[in-house]
Amino acid sequence: MTSAPEASPESRLEESLARIDRLDPELCAFTEVWHEEARSRLESARRLPLAGLPFAVKGRTGIRSYSARRLIAAGGIPVGATSVPGPGTAWQTWGQGAHGRTVNPWRHDRTPGGSSAGSAVAVAAGMVELATGADGAGSVRVPAAWCGVFGLRTTRGLLPSPDRTGLASAGLLAGSVATAELALGHLVKGYVPCPARLPVPAVYSPCLGFADVDPDVARVTREAVDRLVAAGTVRLVPGGCDLLDPAEAWLAVRAGRPTPATDRLRAADDRALDALFDRVPLLLTPVTPNTPHGHEGPGDTYSTALTWAFNLSGHPAASLPVGFTADGCPAGLQLVAARGQDAALLGMARALESASQAGTPRRPRFSRAAPGRTPGRRRPG
């Protein structure tokens, strides 16, 4: 959204709803928009801490989530439910909105990522400043990276999650780290901000020891790290972070069929990460090994190759927008901190965002979509 911080709650809400009405036929980020319900909440919300901040919820059931209920109690106003992958999608990398297939706001022939597809698009297009998400393999971080917004996956157990496997944690997508931290402060009882002490000691791992990363993605993220070092925000510590490929273990846990071999793999990676965070507070990696793929699917590439290790380990992790690949799509830098250090992670993210000037990325351009326009149909599952 383009509202100034001092904009009235009324004008901020009406701008959000108007922008949704204008852009969603083109982007298909929402499955439902709650115009009158949102307006009816305004009078009571204006007197609360969030003062009527418009936000979106992930999926039709998102309004019942713990995060949504806490944000509403703090004065946030839910304006609609965002798209998630439709039935039958083998890879959860795109969404299905009310008007058709959800598209990446930077390139409509590319996926926005998933499964928090619509949430990322809604924030990237300025339809809302904040959206809820959930991350079981990268479902917040991947769309955040590919849509050029900030995305946070919280420490396992910090917030309630219905996922019995323990892989999925609640998350947030926001136009800035400050907005995400504002929201998290109302989700976590007793939350205390933790500003970073600069320079932040960090390890940069371009591939976590196993992933095949696209050279252009590697270039953008490495250049971002170099800028942060030059700015005095980050101090790179010698050594890397080499993990075992977590794919087999993640799939086994997700299926509810872990084996002694996958348990050993998971334990080995946990030991490696525990040792790393004993010596530095921050790990940096690319968010994805690839650029956003087309709507036909990712082929043989695991877009989650660099994210799902931390769903297994339970660490908090974030995606910070840091630049664009040659195809014009955003790329994200992944920030990972020790378990339970969500406040410290956000403090470091704020410092990195400021130094990299990632908090004010250029805005994607949109055509004037005609009402009811459907940009494409989802490929049958």
Side-chain angles (χ1 to χ4, degrees):
M1 293 173 61
T2 57
S3 297
E6 64 273 12
S8 69
E10 292 92 344
S11 62
R12 187 163 57 173
L13 176 60
E14 290 304 324
E15 181 182 353
S16 175
L17 294 172
R19 197 165 175 86
I20 293 170
D21 290 344
R22 180 166 62 88
L23 296 180
D24 200 51
E26 182 177 357
L27 299 176
C28 306
F30 284 86
T31 58
E32 300 173 3
V33 182
W34 306 317
H35 296 80
E36 295 312 313
E37 294 92 329
R39 293 181 178 114
S40 70
R41 294 180 187 270
L42 186 59
E43 191 56 39
S44 59
R46 70 168 69 247
R47 297 187 294 271
L48 297 170
L50 291 179
L53 175 73
F55 73 95
V57 299
K58 178 183 177 179
R60 288 187 170 90
T61 61
I63 192 64
R64 299 196 298 271
S65 69
Y66 175 84
S67 295
R69 288 185 282 112
R70 292 294 299 163
L71 291 173
I72 293 169
I77 296 180
V79 295
T82 60
S83 67
V84 296
T89 51
W91 278 96
Q92 296 188 13
T93 48
W94 59 85
Q96 185 75 4
H99 304 287
R101 181 175 55 201
T102 309
V103 299
N104 191 305
W106 296 94
R107 281 192 56 168
H108 293 189
D109 63 333
R110 303 294 180 87
T111 175
S115 60
S116 302
S119 288
V121 173
V123 173
M127 293 188 272
V128 290
E129 301 170 36
L130 176 73
T132 65
D135 189 316
S139 294
V140 164
R141 288 162 288 163
V142 173
W146 284 352
C147 292
V149 302
F150 180 74
L152 171 70
R153 174 214 132 83
T154 56
T155 295
R156 179 192 298 135
L158 181 69
L159 299 172
S161 170
D163 182 12
R164 295 181 179 179
T165 68
L167 293 172
S169 292
L172 296 165
L173 298 102
S176 68
V177 181
T179 299
E181 186 164 45
L182 174 67
L184 192 65
H186 295 286
L187 300 183
V188 178
K189 186 177 181 180
Y191 181 88
V192 177
C194 182
R197 298 179 62 182
L198 304 182
V200 177
V203 164
Y204 176 64
S205 178
C207 64
L208 290 178
F210 61 83
D212 183 12
V213 178
D214 180 282
D216 204 23
V217 173
R219 174 189 61 80
V220 171
T221 52
R222 180 70 223 201
E223 288 176 353
V225 171
D226 290 344
R227 290 195 302 271
L228 294 168
V229 171
T233 307
V234 165
R235 175 174 62 85
L236 287 183
V237 174
C241 179
D242 290 343
L243 303 179
L244 300 174
D245 188 341
E248 184 180 356
W250 188 94
L251 293 168
V253 172
R254 184 65 175 173
R257 295 191 294 270
T259 66
T262 59
D263 286 344
R264 287 192 295 272
L265 187 158
R266 188 176 184 180
D269 280 354
D270 280 351
R271 288 193 296 271
L273 290 169
D274 288 344
L276 183 143
F277 288 117
D278 280 343
R279 63 191 185 95
V280 294
L282 184 64
L283 170 63
L284 302 172
T285 79
V287 175
T288 67
N290 54 334
T291 60
H293 54 76
H295 294 284
E296 71 281 356
D300 296 329
T301 300
Y302 284 89
S303 302
T304 56
L306 296 166
T307 54
W308 53 8
F310 309 110
N311 295 85
L312 282 168
S313 67
H315 290 83
S319 174
L320 185 72
V322 291
F324 293 81
T325 48
D327 60 2
C329 293
L333 182 66
Q334 182 169 220
L335 286 58
V336 188
R339 299 179 191 91
Q341 295 300 307
D342 299 68
L345 176 62
L346 284 169
M348 292 183 284
R350 289 187 75 162
L352 270 61
E353 178 186 66
S354 177
S356 66
Q357 297 182 338
T360 53
R362 68 179 192 260
R363 180 78 72 190
R365 295 180 179 179
F366 309 101
S367 65
R368 289 187 176 275
R373 173 180 173 270
T374 302
R377 296 183 182 276
R378 181 175 57 83
R379 184 181 179 184

